[in-house]
Amino acid sequence: MDYELNLTYITLDGYVELNQYRFVYFVIMFTAYILIICSNSTIVCLIVIHKNLHEPMYIFIAALSLNSVLYSTALYPKILFDVLSEKQIISYSACLFQYFIIYSVGASEFLLLTAMSYDRYVSICKPLQYPTIMTTTNVSIFLLLAWFSSACHFAGLTILNAKTKLCNFSFKGVACNNVMYELHCVRSSVITLYGAVGLIYLVILPLLFIIFSYTKILIISYRSGREVRRKAAETCLPHLLVLISYSCLCIYDIIIARVESNFPKTARLIMTLQIVLYHPLFNPLIYGLKMKEISKHLKRLFCPARNI
Protein backbone atom coordinates (compact mmCIF):
# COMPACT_ATOMS: atom_id res chain seq x y z
CA MET A 1 0.00 0.00 0.00
CA ASP A 2 2.85 2.37 0.89
CA TYR A 3 4.53 1.54 -2.42
CA GLU A 4 1.38 2.51 -4.32
CA LEU A 5 1.13 5.73 -2.33
CA ASN A 6 4.74 6.58 -3.19
CA LEU A 7 3.95 6.09 -6.86
CA THR A 8 1.10 8.58 -6.59
CA TYR A 9 2.34 11.27 -4.21
CA ILE A 10 5.45 13.44 -4.41
CA THR A 11 7.14 15.11 -1.44
CA LEU A 12 8.05 18.78 -1.86
CA ASP A 13 11.33 19.10 0.03
CA GLY A 14 12.23 22.65 -0.92
CA TYR A 15 11.39 24.57 2.25
CA VAL A 16 14.11 25.66 4.68
CA GLU A 17 13.38 25.55 8.43
CA LEU A 18 9.64 25.32 7.78
CA ASN A 19 8.71 24.41 11.37
CA GLN A 20 10.59 27.43 12.70
CA TYR A 21 9.44 29.97 10.09
CA ARG A 22 6.02 28.55 9.18
CA PHE A 23 4.12 31.69 10.23
CA VAL A 24 6.60 34.00 8.48
CA TYR A 25 6.29 32.02 5.25
CA PHE A 26 2.51 32.11 5.43
CA VAL A 27 2.24 35.86 6.10
CA ILE A 28 4.69 36.74 3.30
CA MET A 29 3.08 34.44 0.75
CA PHE A 30 -0.50 35.35 1.65
CA THR A 31 0.27 39.09 1.52
CA ALA A 32 2.07 38.69 -1.80
CA TYR A 33 -0.81 36.70 -3.30
CA ILE A 34 -3.39 39.32 -2.31
CA LEU A 35 -1.18 42.11 -3.70
CA ILE A 36 -0.65 40.23 -6.97
CA ILE A 37 -4.36 39.56 -7.48
CA CYS A 38 -5.41 43.10 -6.55
CA SER A 39 -2.71 44.97 -8.49
CA ASN A 40 -3.00 42.93 -11.69
CA SER A 41 -6.81 42.91 -11.54
CA THR A 42 -6.79 46.70 -11.13
CA ILE A 43 -4.65 47.10 -14.26
CA VAL A 44 -6.98 44.82 -16.24
CA CYS A 45 -10.12 46.61 -15.01
CA LEU A 46 -8.72 50.05 -15.86
CA ILE A 47 -7.89 48.91 -19.40
CA VAL A 48 -11.33 47.33 -19.87
CA ILE A 49 -13.27 50.30 -18.46
CA HIS A 50 -11.49 53.24 -20.11
CA LYS A 51 -11.91 53.57 -23.86
CA ASN A 52 -8.68 55.53 -24.33
CA LEU A 53 -6.85 52.39 -23.17
CA HIS A 54 -8.48 50.20 -25.82
CA GLU A 55 -5.28 50.19 -27.87
CA PRO A 56 -3.08 47.18 -28.80
CA MET A 57 -0.31 48.18 -26.40
CA TYR A 58 -2.65 48.27 -23.41
CA ILE A 59 -4.49 45.12 -24.49
CA PHE A 60 -1.18 43.24 -24.41
CA ILE A 61 -0.48 44.70 -20.96
CA ALA A 62 -3.88 43.42 -19.79
CA ALA A 63 -3.01 39.99 -21.21
CA LEU A 64 0.27 39.98 -19.24
CA SER A 65 -1.63 40.89 -16.08
CA LEU A 66 -4.10 38.05 -16.68
CA ASN A 67 -1.12 35.73 -17.06
CA SER A 68 0.23 36.87 -13.70
CA VAL A 69 -3.12 36.15 -12.03
CA LEU A 70 -3.33 32.67 -13.59
CA TYR A 71 0.31 31.87 -12.82
CA SER A 72 -0.03 32.95 -9.19
CA THR A 73 -3.30 31.08 -8.71
CA ALA A 74 -1.60 27.89 -9.94
CA LEU A 75 1.06 28.31 -7.25
CA TYR A 76 -0.04 30.23 -4.18
CA PRO A 77 -3.03 28.25 -2.85
CA LYS A 78 -0.93 25.07 -2.86
CA ILE A 79 2.06 26.81 -1.28
CA LEU A 80 -0.11 28.35 1.45
CA PHE A 81 -1.65 24.94 2.16
CA ASP A 82 1.80 23.30 2.32
CA VAL A 83 3.14 25.93 4.71
CA LEU A 84 0.37 25.09 7.18
CA SER A 85 0.64 21.31 6.71
CA GLU A 86 2.87 18.85 8.53
CA LYS A 87 3.67 17.07 5.25
CA GLN A 88 4.31 18.88 1.99
CA ILE A 89 3.02 16.44 -0.62
CA ILE A 90 1.26 16.62 -3.98
CA SER A 91 -0.22 13.96 -6.24
CA TYR A 92 1.82 13.39 -9.37
CA SER A 93 -1.18 14.20 -11.60
CA ALA A 94 -1.68 17.53 -9.76
CA CYS A 95 2.05 18.17 -10.04
CA LEU A 96 1.92 17.64 -13.80
CA PHE A 97 -1.08 19.98 -14.09
CA GLN A 98 0.75 22.67 -12.09
CA TYR A 99 3.80 22.18 -14.33
CA PHE A 100 1.61 22.63 -17.42
CA ILE A 101 0.02 25.86 -16.15
CA ILE A 102 3.33 27.37 -15.01
CA TYR A 103 5.17 26.80 -18.28
CA SER A 104 2.35 27.36 -20.77
CA VAL A 105 1.68 30.73 -19.10
CA GLY A 106 5.41 31.44 -18.86
CA ALA A 107 6.03 30.74 -22.55
CA SER A 108 3.03 32.81 -23.61
CA GLU A 109 4.59 35.69 -21.65
CA PHE A 110 7.55 35.74 -24.04
CA LEU A 111 5.24 35.63 -27.05
CA LEU A 112 3.14 38.48 -25.66
CA LEU A 113 6.28 40.55 -25.08
CA THR A 114 7.22 39.78 -28.70
CA ALA A 115 3.82 41.03 -29.89
CA MET A 116 4.30 44.18 -27.80
CA SER A 117 7.71 44.81 -29.36
CA TYR A 118 6.18 44.44 -32.83
CA ASP A 119 3.40 46.87 -31.85
CA ARG A 120 5.99 49.42 -30.73
CA TYR A 121 8.07 48.83 -33.88
CA VAL A 122 5.08 49.52 -36.17
CA SER A 123 3.96 52.50 -34.06
CA ILE A 124 7.34 54.24 -34.12
CA CYS A 125 8.92 53.03 -37.38
CA LYS A 126 5.78 52.83 -39.56
CA PRO A 127 3.28 55.22 -37.96
CA LEU A 128 1.22 55.78 -41.14
CA GLN A 129 0.64 52.02 -41.54
CA TYR A 130 -0.10 51.42 -37.86
CA PRO A 131 -3.96 51.58 -38.10
CA THR A 132 -4.03 49.06 -40.95
CA ILE A 133 -1.49 46.65 -39.41
CA MET A 134 -2.49 46.61 -35.73
CA THR A 135 -6.20 46.03 -36.26
CA THR A 136 -8.47 44.42 -33.68
CA THR A 137 -8.43 41.19 -35.70
CA ASN A 138 -4.63 41.06 -35.84
CA VAL A 139 -4.33 41.79 -32.12
CA SER A 140 -6.78 38.94 -31.40
CA ILE A 141 -4.68 36.62 -33.59
CA PHE A 142 -1.51 37.57 -31.70
CA LEU A 143 -3.21 36.84 -28.37
CA LEU A 144 -4.56 33.48 -29.54
CA LEU A 145 -1.21 32.45 -30.99
CA ALA A 146 0.60 33.40 -27.78
CA TRP A 147 -1.70 31.36 -25.54
CA PHE A 148 -2.57 28.49 -27.89
CA SER A 149 0.93 27.67 -29.21
CA SER A 150 2.50 27.61 -25.74
CA ALA A 151 -0.40 25.54 -24.34
CA CYS A 152 -0.09 22.98 -27.15
CA HIS A 153 3.67 22.63 -26.71
CA PHE A 154 3.52 22.12 -22.97
CA ALA A 155 0.52 19.82 -23.22
CA GLY A 156 2.73 17.52 -25.28
CA LEU A 157 5.63 17.88 -22.87
CA THR A 158 3.34 17.16 -19.90
CA ILE A 159 2.09 13.97 -21.58
CA LEU A 160 5.70 12.84 -22.17
CA ASN A 161 6.51 13.50 -18.50
CA ALA A 162 3.44 11.53 -17.42
CA LYS A 163 4.70 8.49 -19.36
CA THR A 164 8.23 8.66 -17.91
CA LYS A 165 9.16 6.20 -15.18
CA LEU A 166 9.85 7.66 -11.73
CA CYS A 167 12.57 6.45 -9.38
CA ASN A 168 12.51 9.34 -6.90
CA PHE A 169 9.46 10.59 -5.04
CA SER A 170 10.72 13.86 -3.61
CA PHE A 171 12.50 16.90 -4.99
CA LYS A 172 14.01 20.07 -3.56
CA GLY A 173 11.32 22.47 -4.67
CA VAL A 174 8.13 24.12 -3.47
CA ALA A 175 6.35 23.89 -6.83
CA CYS A 176 6.39 21.59 -9.84
CA ASN A 177 8.79 23.42 -12.13
CA ASN A 178 11.89 22.11 -13.91
CA VAL A 179 13.18 20.64 -10.64
CA MET A 180 10.56 17.93 -11.20
CA TYR A 181 12.98 16.23 -13.62
CA GLU A 182 14.88 14.99 -10.56
CA LEU A 183 12.08 12.43 -10.18
CA HIS A 184 12.87 10.64 -13.44
CA CYS A 185 14.95 7.46 -13.42
CA VAL A 186 16.90 8.59 -16.49
CA ARG A 187 17.03 11.73 -18.58
CA SER A 188 14.75 11.12 -21.54
CA SER A 189 16.35 12.11 -24.85
CA VAL A 190 12.86 12.64 -26.33
CA ILE A 191 11.90 15.08 -23.56
CA THR A 192 15.26 16.85 -23.87
CA LEU A 193 14.85 17.23 -27.65
CA TYR A 194 11.20 18.30 -27.32
CA GLY A 195 12.17 20.85 -24.69
CA ALA A 196 15.04 22.16 -26.84
CA VAL A 197 12.70 22.67 -29.81
CA GLY A 198 10.28 24.56 -27.56
CA LEU A 199 13.12 26.66 -26.18
CA ILE A 200 14.08 27.68 -29.72
CA TYR A 201 10.66 28.69 -31.06
CA LEU A 202 9.06 29.88 -27.82
CA VAL A 203 12.00 31.77 -26.30
CA ILE A 204 15.10 32.20 -28.48
CA LEU A 205 13.40 33.19 -31.76
CA PRO A 206 10.97 35.61 -30.03
CA LEU A 207 13.92 37.08 -28.11
CA LEU A 208 15.88 37.62 -31.34
CA PHE A 209 12.84 39.31 -32.89
CA ILE A 210 12.49 41.57 -29.84
CA ILE A 211 16.16 42.54 -30.08
CA PHE A 212 15.72 43.26 -33.80
CA SER A 213 12.57 45.36 -33.17
CA TYR A 214 14.09 47.48 -30.44
CA THR A 215 17.31 47.94 -32.40
CA LYS A 216 15.27 49.36 -35.29
CA ILE A 217 13.33 51.55 -32.85
CA LEU A 218 16.59 52.82 -31.36
CA ILE A 219 17.99 53.67 -34.80
CA ILE A 220 14.81 55.46 -35.92
CA SER A 221 14.57 57.33 -32.60
CA TYR A 222 18.19 58.44 -32.82
CA ARG A 223 17.64 59.82 -36.33
CA SER A 224 14.32 61.50 -35.49
CA GLY A 225 13.34 64.47 -33.39
CA ARG A 226 12.90 64.85 -29.66
CA GLU A 227 9.18 63.99 -29.75
CA VAL A 228 9.82 60.56 -31.32
CA ARG A 229 12.59 59.85 -28.80
CA ARG A 230 10.27 60.82 -25.93
CA LYS A 231 7.50 58.57 -27.23
CA ALA A 232 9.93 55.68 -27.66
CA ALA A 233 11.31 56.11 -24.15
CA GLU A 234 7.85 56.34 -22.55
CA THR A 235 6.39 53.26 -24.22
CA CYS A 236 9.41 51.02 -24.76
CA LEU A 237 11.32 51.38 -21.49
CA PRO A 238 8.68 49.60 -19.33
CA HIS A 239 8.55 46.71 -21.82
CA LEU A 240 12.34 46.39 -21.81
CA LEU A 241 12.50 46.41 -18.01
CA VAL A 242 9.87 43.64 -17.82
CA LEU A 243 11.65 41.67 -20.56
CA ILE A 244 15.07 41.87 -18.88
CA SER A 245 13.62 40.93 -15.51
CA TYR A 246 11.66 38.00 -16.91
CA SER A 247 14.59 36.76 -19.03
CA CYS A 248 16.88 36.61 -15.99
CA LEU A 249 14.34 34.54 -14.03
CA CYS A 250 13.82 32.21 -17.02
CA ILE A 251 17.57 31.67 -17.39
CA TYR A 252 17.69 30.53 -13.76
CA ASP A 253 14.77 28.17 -14.30
CA ILE A 254 16.44 26.61 -17.35
CA ILE A 255 19.79 26.24 -15.58
CA ILE A 256 18.32 24.68 -12.43
CA ALA A 257 17.07 21.72 -14.46
CA ARG A 258 20.62 21.04 -15.67
CA VAL A 259 22.56 21.25 -12.40
CA GLU A 260 23.05 18.47 -9.90
CA SER A 261 20.47 17.83 -7.20
CA ASN A 262 22.96 18.82 -4.47
CA PHE A 263 22.59 22.49 -5.44
CA PRO A 264 22.06 24.27 -2.07
CA LYS A 265 18.44 24.08 -0.93
CA THR A 266 18.52 27.60 0.51
CA ALA A 267 19.74 29.07 -2.80
CA ARG A 268 17.00 27.19 -4.66
CA LEU A 269 14.34 28.45 -2.27
CA ILE A 270 15.50 32.07 -2.54
CA MET A 271 15.47 31.97 -6.35
CA THR A 272 12.11 30.17 -6.45
CA LEU A 273 10.59 32.77 -4.16
CA GLN A 274 11.94 35.51 -6.43
CA ILE A 275 10.14 33.94 -9.38
CA VAL A 276 6.94 33.48 -7.38
CA LEU A 277 7.00 36.87 -5.64
CA TYR A 278 8.96 39.25 -7.79
CA HIS A 279 7.77 38.98 -11.36
CA PRO A 280 3.95 38.95 -10.85
CA LEU A 281 4.32 42.08 -8.70
CA PHE A 282 6.91 43.71 -10.97
CA ASN A 283 4.60 43.89 -14.02
CA PRO A 284 1.79 46.02 -12.52
CA LEU A 285 4.32 48.15 -10.65
CA ILE A 286 6.28 49.02 -13.79
CA TYR A 287 3.26 49.51 -16.05
CA GLY A 288 1.36 51.41 -13.36
CA LEU A 289 4.21 53.84 -12.72
CA LYS A 290 5.85 54.13 -16.14
CA MET A 291 2.91 54.03 -18.56
CA LYS A 292 1.57 57.58 -18.53
CA GLU A 293 -2.08 56.85 -19.32
CA ILE A 294 -2.37 53.96 -16.85
CA SER A 295 -0.63 56.02 -14.18
CA LYS A 296 -3.09 58.86 -14.79
CA HIS A 297 -6.10 56.58 -14.24
CA LEU A 298 -4.52 55.03 -11.15
CA LYS A 299 -4.08 58.49 -9.61
CA ARG A 300 -7.72 59.32 -10.33
CA LEU A 301 -8.79 56.03 -8.76
CA PHE A 302 -6.74 56.24 -5.56
CA CYS A 303 -6.38 60.02 -5.16
CA PRO A 304 -9.76 61.43 -6.34
CA ALA A 305 -9.39 64.54 -4.14
CA ARG A 306 -6.43 65.76 -6.23
CA ASN A 307 -8.51 65.69 -9.38
CA ILE A 308 -11.29 67.93 -8.11
Side-chain angles (χ1 to χ4, degrees):
M1 193 71 175
D2 290 338
Y3 181 69
E4 291 179 359
L5 184 68
N6 283 337
L7 285 177
T8 306
Y9 288 92
I10 307 300
T11 300
L12 304 171
D13 189 29
Y15 292 97
V16 178
E17 300 289 345
L18 181 58
N19 290 331
Q20 184 176 353
Y21 298 112
R22 189 184 303 275
F23 181 71
V24 176
Y25 280 132
F26 182 83
V27 170
I28 291 173
M29 302 308 287
F30 181 75
T31 304
Y33 184 48
I34 296 300
L35 286 174
I36 289 168
I37 297 299
C38 291
S39 58
N40 283 285
S41 298
T42 300
I43 296 293
V44 173
C45 289
L46 286 176
I47 292 170
V48 170
I49 292 169
H50 298 285
K51 290 186 178 180
N52 69 320
L53 299 181
H54 292 181
E55 297 178 10
M57 177 174 61
Y58 299 112
I59 292 171
F60 291 132
I61 290 173
L64 288 173
S65 292
L66 284 173
N67 270 8
S68 294
V69 171
L70 182 58
Y71 174 84
S72 300
T73 302
L75 287 172
Y76 277 89
K78 174 59 179 160
I79 291 174
L80 291 170
F81 180 80
D82 285 340
V83 166
L84 297 178
S85 302
E86 289 300 319
K87 291 184 178 180
Q88 291 71 49
I89 60 174
I90 186 172
S91 69
Y92 190 51
S93 57
C95 190
L96 288 170
F97 180 71
Q98 189 181 65
Y99 171 90
F100 167 73
I101 295 295
I102 289 172
Y103 286 105
S104 59
V105 169
S108 70
E109 194 105 343
F110 255 114
L111 297 178
L112 288 171
L113 288 169
T114 305
M116 292 173 77
S117 72
Y118 179 67
D119 172 72
R120 292 299 84 207
Y121 165 74
V122 175
S123 175
I124 293 169
C125 301
K126 300 181 178 181
L128 297 179
Q129 300 176 43
Y130 185 81
T132 57
I133 295 175
M134 297 306 294
T135 61
T136 303
T137 301
N138 287 341
V139 171
S140 300
I141 291 171
F142 288 143
L143 292 174
L144 286 174
L145 283 175
W147 284 319
F148 184 72
S149 59
S150 59
C152 286
H153 176 80
F154 283 100
L157 195 54
T158 303
I159 291 169
L160 289 174
N161 279 312
K163 294 180 177 180
T164 304
K165 185 179 179 181
L166 304 182
C167 286
N168 301 313
F169 302 99
S170 69
F171 61 82
K172 294 176 183 176
V174 300
C176 296
N177 55 5
N178 269 330
V179 185
M180 191 180 69
Y181 290 119
E182 294 177 8
L183 304 175
H184 297 171
C185 296
V186 293
R187 292 280 178 131
S188 168
S189 57
V190 175
I191 290 178
T192 301
L193 180 61
Y194 193 96
V197 171
L199 182 65
I200 290 170
Y201 84 86
L202 290 174
V203 178
I204 294 176
L205 290 180
L207 196 56
L208 290 175
F209 181 82
I210 291 170
I211 292 170
F212 167 79
S213 298
Y214 282 113
T215 301
K216 293 288 288 183
I217 289 171
L218 185 64
I219 293 171
I220 293 294
S221 300
Y222 179 76
R223 292 174 179 174
S224 303
R226 182 179 298 179
E227 184 61 27
V228 174
R229 287 196 292 270
R230 185 191 63 79
K231 179 183 177 182
E234 277 184 5
T235 60
C236 295
L237 184 60
H239 303 160
L240 285 172
L241 290 174
V242 170
L243 175 67
I244 292 168
S245 163
Y246 189 62
S247 298
C248 291
L249 295 176
C250 288
I251 289 169
Y252 160 76
D253 194 68
I254 293 168
I255 290 173
I256 200 65
R258 306 292 184 266
V259 300
E260 297 298 322
S261 58
N262 59 1
F263 191 77
K265 186 194 286 189
T266 303
R268 286 192 180 202
L269 179 63
I270 291 171
M271 287 305 298
T272 301
L273 290 179
Q274 281 198 52
I275 295 173
V276 173
L277 293 168
Y278 172 66
H279 185 68
L281 282 171
F282 186 70
N283 276 7
L285 181 66
I286 287 297
Y287 290 127
L289 293 177
K290 294 295 184 180
M291 299 299 289
K292 186 177 179 181
E293 291 300 319
I294 295 178
S295 177
K296 189 188 301 181
H297 288 297
L298 283 172
K299 288 176 182 176
R300 288 175 181 170
L301 179 64
F302 293 108
C303 304
R306 293 185 180 182
N307 298 292
I308 297 174

